[in-house]
Structure formats: C-alpha cells, structure tokens
Amino acid sequence: MKVAILGYGTVGSGVFDVIRQNHAVIEKRVGAPIEVKYVLDLRDFPGDPVEPYLVHDYRTIADDPEIDIVVEVMGGIKPAYDFVKEALLAGRSVCTSNKELVAAHGAELIEIARERNINFLFEASVGGGIPVIRQLMRSVTADEVEEVSGILNGTTNYMMTRMREDGISFDEALADAQANGFAERNPAADIEGFDACRKIAILTSLAYGQQVDYTDIFTEGITKITSEDVSYAKAMKRGIKLIARSYAKDGKVYAMVSPMMIRKKNPLYPVNGVFNAIMVRGNMLGEVMFYGMGAGKLPTASAVVSDVIDAAKHRFVNIPILWSREKLTLGAKDDMECRFFVRVAAADADKAKEIFDIHKTVELADANGEFAFVTKTMTEKAFAEACEGLPIISSIRYE
Ligand code: HSE
C-alpha cells in the first residue's frame, strides 16, 4: 500500500514518523506493508529524512496510479478540499486531521467515498489522539444520543490550567502552547473557540446523522477570562473550562461553545493541560467518557495512522458513516437555559438584586468594590435582556 502525505507540518511529520517507526506492527495489523511514497509541501527540508519523498506539486501524486491512500494534514479549506475531492473521485481513500474541512464538507466527502466503495476517515479531526469518532460511529449505535459535551481544545485547556496553577499570564500561556505545537497557525481559532466549534459540529453531525452548520453554533472563547474570574472560581471550588456541548431536548438539538464554571464533581473538572475529554450520554447507555491527549504531533499522528490502517484493511469496502447532507436546524440560542456567574460594581448591587433572581452571592477577600453573584436558571434571552439594565464587569455560564 502506497501512501501520499499532503503537508509536512506538525501532524504531517508525525504521520511520517509513526509510519516509519511502527512499520513492523502496522504491517502485522494490515497484513501488508504501508509505505510512504510522497510527502507534499511547498518548503524544502534539507537534511531531514523526508527529503527523498518530498514533492512540491500535487500533480505528481494525482498522476501516480500507485497511490492507494492520501493523508491530508495541511489544514484549512483551500487547497485541501480540492485535493481531497480529486483523490476520492479517483478512487483513493483519504484520511485527514483537518477539522475545518470535515466540518464544512464532511457530508459531501463521505458521500463520494460511499459511492466509490472507498473511505473518507477523520478520526484525528476531533480530540487529537482520542479514538472518539470511531466509537461514536461504531459503538454508540444502539442509543439515541442525548448529549455530547466536553473539552475539545487542548490549547485553551492548557492555557487555563497554567494560568490557574502557575499564575502565568494569558500571553505567556499562549506562547507556551504554541511552542509545544498545540496551537493552530492562527491562534484566534483556539482562543476564540472556533476550533472547538468545528469539533462539536462534527460530533453533533455524527451523533444525529445530519449536517450541522458550524456557523449556526453560538461560540464564545476564553479571551475575556481574567485572573479575577479564576480567583472567584477557586473561591467557589469550581474550575473554568471551555466547554463545547450539544444536546437534544423536546425534539430539538442545541449546541454551544463557551467558558463555563464547572463543579469539582464534574468528570471534566480534573481534565487539565493539553488533555481533552468527551462525554457522550445515550438514552440506554448512560454516560461514557473518552479521555486523552487532545493535541500534539504524535498523538494526533497516531490517530491519523489508525485511519490509514482502517483504510488499508478496507481497500474497496466502504465503512458506513451516517452523516447525510440534510441540514440539522439547531434550536435557538435564546431558548437555552443556564445559571450565570456575574460581577458588577458594588455600587450596582441593589440594582442587580432587583433585576436578577439571585441564587447566591460570592464573597472574595480582595473583591475590589465588586458585587458577585450566581443567578438562578434563566434563558439566554432573559439573561441578555437583564444585562442591558446595568454594566456587567464579567459573566460566565455556571453549571
Ligand atoms: N489547536 C488544536 C487544539 C489542535 O489545541 O486542540 C488539535 O485539534
């Protein structure tokens, strides 16, 4: 089996290393050797073991009939979409870690693969090295999925952990995540929540079998979280995590990405550093959790290569994936319900007590003239309307 890798960045070089280092065990599992024939990248890598395989023009790969499997790890939509579609149309299976591509074009690419009895596989697009997609597709099949929620971005979880535990600044934490190869090329994708948004769109599409448009998902990142918020969370024995969540309620599916103050007994509370965790709740199964390295070169590459092995073992057999092009219309954000942690100036305390139905107030030793409280459960719409009535210092959804 001959493989072409599109992209020699963090994940691409990891895939190259995993296939070479683990070739013996991979051959045993597939029943035939897997060989990298080409690696596509615009750059040169003098002295790197990739040199003999390096090509700069996709046509070299497209025109070579020996290529069985294409690994797309370039990221982004252009030109990845064109290359992947062409490969599938030519009867080659494709394995990708590209969540942007899968979230935007997953249904179409799955359909092309199905029609040609080949495979479009994307295990590494969600949760880095965690085998969650395979489990959703092939194991959680007897249930109606009631909820999928989790920590789906390693960079932000790493940053929040370091800020809380080591007291480092937001910028220092981001630079550290970038140095470790966790962050996206444009870190706004991580810190603004877009990456987690695409991942929950993929999981929700798989859970409900229809196309979720990621632009329909309300998404808030971690950029407004301050060290004061972290101190309040500590005082309440809670953690602030960027939570991506979708759930079914009264025949509708709702989805959101936002920071949330979660309880200590929530299984996501101890998920720290670059680790991700995904909880799936089925109506028969109850809750199952998937936990592991959510980003990083080798864990992500390991997930990509597990797809290469699957594709090699199913050369002209399509592995069914239930994800149709029919759009899944999400329930309105306004109707979603939550409690909210809110900080206002102490001078506005009376007004806040008038406007909000307060569940409890929160005292902090050095509160700096603030009044902080947690609301009772209310709709997003009611909360937004209430906030128009007084200046809010910060607010965070509260489990
Ligand atoms: N930037 C992503 C993260 C990489 O931090 O989770 C893995 O998708």
Side-chain angles (χ1 to χ4, degrees):
M1 295 272 175
K2 301 261 194 286
V3 175
I5 303 173
L6 313 185
Y8 196 63
T10 305
V11 183
S13 57
V15 171
F16 184 73
D17 290 352
V18 171
I19 292 179
R20 280 159 52 98
Q21 272 189 44
N22 283 0
H23 68 93
V25 72
I26 292 171
E27 177 171 347
K28 210 156 124 190
R29 288 185 183 140
V30 175
I34 298 274
E35 286 167 24
V36 175
K37 184 160 184 188
Y38 301 115
V39 177
L40 177 75
D41 205 290
L42 291 176
R43 298 163 293 180
D44 286 309
F45 296 91
D48 189 289
V50 79
E51 263 195 307
Y53 306 91
L54 206 58
V55 290
H56 298 305
D57 183 358
Y58 178 64
R59 300 300 346 141
T60 314
I61 294 167
D63 296 342
D64 185 339
E66 270 197 358
I67 296 298
D68 301 292
I69 297 168
V70 171
V71 169
E72 186 281 304
V73 281
M74 314 166 77
I77 301 287
K78 274 208 165 291
Y81 171 67
D82 295 330
F83 292 172
V84 166
K85 193 167 170 178
E86 182 177 345
L88 290 170
L89 288 170
R92 289 157 175 172
S93 288
V94 174
C95 308
T96 183
S97 61
N98 186 339
K99 50 254 161 165
E100 284 171 274
L101 176 73
V102 179
H105 299 287
E108 182 199 0
L109 299 171
I110 287 166
E111 193 177 283
I112 297 173
R114 190 186 310 121
E115 284 164 357
R116 279 165 179 70
N117 267 332
I118 49 168
N119 290 290
F120 175 65
L121 301 172
F122 43 91
E123 181 59 69
S125 64
V126 178
I130 309 172
V132 59
I133 288 184
R134 207 170 272 118
Q135 302 310 329
L136 255 186
M137 286 186 331
R138 298 188 217 162
S139 300
V140 188
T141 48
D143 281 60
E144 294 277 1
V145 176
E146 292 177 341
E147 180 177 347
V148 181
S149 63
I151 294 170
L152 298 183
N153 183 267
T155 299
T156 46
N157 204 45
Y158 179 83
M159 290 173 63
M160 299 296 298
T161 305
R162 301 255 5 236
M163 283 165 73
R164 181 182 172 116
E165 289 181 359
D166 305 325
I168 66 172
S169 73
F170 188 93
D171 290 340
E172 282 170 321
L174 178 59
D176 206 6
Q178 286 172 314
N180 278 298
F182 306 148
E184 297 300 303
R185 235 174 305 167
N186 175 4
D190 296 300
I191 60 180
E192 300 288 1
F194 308 144
D195 177 76
C197 166
R198 288 182 172 94
K199 290 169 176 168
I200 195 68
I202 294 170
L203 293 179
T204 309
S205 298
L206 286 170
Y208 299 100
Q210 284 175 237
Q211 176 71 28
V212 172
D213 187 342
Y214 65 86
T215 59
D216 291 344
I217 300 176
F218 174 81
T219 299
E220 185 181 306
I222 61 162
T223 50
K224 290 190 207 133
I225 305 292
T226 62
S227 48
E228 287 79 17
D229 294 321
V230 173
S231 301
Y232 277 108
K234 273 185 175 172
M236 291 186 282
K237 299 196 171 25
R238 294 201 164 223
I240 305 175
K241 302 282 185 191
L242 183 66
I243 302 291
R245 179 168 182 245
S246 66
Y247 59 92
K249 193 178 167 205
D250 302 331
K252 281 191 179 156
V253 176
Y254 297 85
M256 182 181 281
V257 175
S258 77
M260 188 163 245
M261 278 198 184
I262 61 171
R263 298 183 184 101
K264 239 183 181 160
K265 69 174 191 198
N266 185 320
L268 297 175
Y269 181 91
V271 177
N272 284 318
V274 71
F275 283 86
N276 282 190
I278 301 113
M279 188 280 292
V280 179
R281 197 175 70 236
N283 64 341
M284 300 292 141
L285 178 69
E287 291 180 359
V288 278
M289 281 265 294
F290 303 95
Y291 171 84
M293 286 283 280
K297 173 173 163 160
L298 291 177
T300 310
S302 163
V304 175
V305 177
S306 74
D307 277 347
V308 171
I309 292 171
D310 252 359
K313 287 168 76 176
H314 298 87
R315 185 63 191 97
F316 291 108
V317 180
N318 178 253
I319 302 165
I321 301 176
L322 189 65
W323 176 348
S324 81
R325 287 208 211 200
E326 192 188 339
K327 181 180 161 96
L328 181 66
T329 303
L330 296 176
K333 179 220 171 200
D334 274 356
D335 298 336
M336 295 175 83
E337 288 185 332
C338 197
R339 288 192 285 181
F340 294 84
F341 164 74
V342 185
R343 289 163 56 204
V344 297
D348 289 327
D350 287 342
K351 208 168 173 197
K353 285 177 195 164
E354 266 171 44
I355 295 175
F356 289 98
D357 211 354
I358 291 179
H359 166 64
K360 66 173 182 182
T361 56
V362 192
E363 307 287 340
L364 208 60
D366 49 353
N368 264 341
E370 288 183 5
F371 174 62
F373 57 96
V374 177
T375 69
K376 290 193 176 160
T377 301
M378 60 198 298
T379 63
E380 290 279 340
K381 184 167 190 242
F383 181 71
E385 281 169 2
C387 289
E388 282 167 15
L390 84 171
I392 302 283
I393 298 171
S394 79
S395 69
I396 300 174
R397 289 173 185 80
Y398 186 93
E399 185 187 11

